[in-house]
Amino acid sequence: MEQRCVELGLKMTGQRRVIARVLSEAKDHPNVELVHRRANAIDNRISLATVYRTLRLFEEVDILERHDFGDGKARYEKADQDHHDHLIDVKSGKVIEFQNREIEKLQAAVAERLGFKLVGHRLELYAVPLADDATESGE
Amino acid sequence: MEQRCVELGLKMTGQRRVIARVLSEAKDHPNVELVHRRANAIDNRISLATVYRTLRLFEEVDILERHDFGDGKARYEKADQDHHDHLIDVKSGKVIEFQNREIEKLQAAVAERLGFKLVGHRLELYAVPLADDATESGE
DNA sequence: GTAACTGCAAACGCTTTGCGCGAAA
DNA sequence: TTTCGCGCAAAGCGTTTGCAGTTAC
């Protein structure tokens, strides 16, 4: 990810490096506050404003993807991976990634049938565990 | 819609009647400010707070559906119609409704394969017109 | 009559921004 | 030296809420 930033001519400061690292290592979809907390665990002089500015910057150059899963807070993940959509376990709040080529194709077909060219989409599945032994957790 | 409110035991005040009517007659997906403006065209003593409170109330009893198409403002439509998803023309902002049984089935299948039971979903297609003669409009 | 609703204005939560300072090129 | 990023605090925005007066039943 750092390499990517250099290619784009972004000045890599200490703060940005830390924030980049936090998201590189994240296996979940942290919101801004969580990124801030994790960044501060590494360097506690990073302000919330800088986190907001940096996340936005990274999003603009397509290093990160921003999501909104309906709780009113932006959540981030790195964008360099294969495209996928999200299933949100409404019991635990956990987010699971999935891919489905067939749905993607149908989406493009629907758009075309309506006279449009698909340029993006948002698909989120809200679901509950089948075997109801859900463990409560933040994600 | 008014009938529906009475069934639910909602007190039908003048303000609520107006707001219900505005959304009954809406062919688009107005945001709160727009609902407020349209309601005021009928009775200019309806406050924004009441619009917010009423829309939320109607949403809670499933008279209305709330959407968030990514512009940070809630948008509403009546909920009594067939289920559908939305295609957003990113050129004009226009919203087109569509149905696709096959996508719905695949969504349920995806959820099940992951060990979940689908309880809701959000699908939005962002697209541009194929024949690029888009007329700019609010919706 | 009384519980429920309303308007107003203040507060809310998330996010952005103006400013002066400090670091990098 | 000039540009850019930073922390801080204040402001912005859509939305919610406390309160006192008003309305529907």
Side-chain angles (χ1 to χ4, degrees), chain A residues 1 4-5 8 10 16 19-26 28 30 32 35 51-67 75-81:
Chain A
M1 189 143 130
R4 190 67 210 299
C5 293
L8 289 160
L10 295 186
R16 289 184 182 174
I19 293 168
R21 183 176 141 200
V22 164
L23 271 127
S24 263
E25 295 173 355
D28 50 1
V32 179
V35 174
V51 174
Y52 271 106
R53 276 192 275 240
T54 304
L55 290 176
R56 184 133 83 95
L57 176 67
F58 285 175
E59 188 205 347
E60 276 163 7
V61 298
D62 290 321
I63 291 180
L64 294 180
E65 261 179 43
R66 190 202 343 226
H67 297 292
R75 298 172 65 163
Y76 290 87
E77 70 176 321
K78 32 181 201 311
D80 56 21
Q81 41 208 7

Side-chain angles (χ1 to χ4, degrees), chain A residues 85 100-114 116 118 121 123, chain B residues 85 87 98-107 110 123 125:
Chain A
D85 294 301
N100 190 297
R101 231 88 216 70
E102 224 174 324
I103 290 182
E104 308 274 329
K105 265 189 285 187
L106 283 169
Q107 288 176 1
V110 165
E112 194 161 351
R113 196 175 316 138
L114 293 169
F116 288 85
L118 196 63
H121 73 261
L123 173 60
Chain B
D85 294 301
L87 180 147
F98 71 87
Q99 291 182 279
N100 190 299
R101 264 241 79 30
E102 223 175 322
I103 292 181
E104 307 276 328
K105 267 188 282 188
L106 283 169
Q107 288 176 2
V110 166
L123 173 59
L125 305 183

Side-chain angles (χ1 to χ4, degrees), chain B residues 3 8 13-14 21 23-27 30 34 44-45 52 62 72 81 83 85 88 90 96 98-99 109 115 121:
Chain B
Q3 180 52 31
L8 290 160
T13 65
R21 182 177 141 200
L23 271 126
S24 263
E25 295 173 354
K27 292 192 166 43
L34 207 39
N44 65 0
R45 291 165 318 187
Y52 271 106
D62 290 321
Q81 40 210 8
H83 167 72
D85 294 301
I88 295 95
V90 296
I96 294 166
F98 71 87
Q99 291 182 279
H121 74 262

Side-chain angles (χ1 to χ4, degrees), chain A residues 86-138:
Chain A
H86 298 94
L87 181 147
I88 295 96
D89 178 345
V90 298
K91 272 247 162 55
S92 69
K94 197 177 302 191
V95 175
I96 294 165
E97 302 175 350
F98 70 87
Q99 291 181 281
N100 190 297
R101 231 88 216 70
E102 224 174 324
I103 290 182
E104 308 274 329
K105 265 189 285 187
L106 283 169
Q107 288 176 1
V110 165
E112 194 161 351
R113 196 175 316 138
L114 293 169
F116 288 85
K117 180 169 163 296
L118 196 63
V119 297
H121 73 261
R122 165 149 81 171
L123 173 60
E124 288 149 27
L125 306 183
Y126 296 90
V128 293
L130 276 177
D132 207 338
D133 53 358
T135 47
E136 296 290 326
S137 92

Side-chain angles (χ1 to χ4, degrees), chain B residues 3-10 61-63:
Chain B
Q3 180 52 31
R4 188 69 208 298
C5 293
V6 174
E7 287 164 24
L8 290 160
L10 296 187
V61 298
D62 290 321
I63 291 179

Side-chain angles (χ1 to χ4, degrees), chain A residues 13 15 45-47 50 53:
Chain A
T13 65
Q15 288 92 331
R45 292 164 318 188
I46 298 176
S47 78
T50 295
R53 276 192 275 240

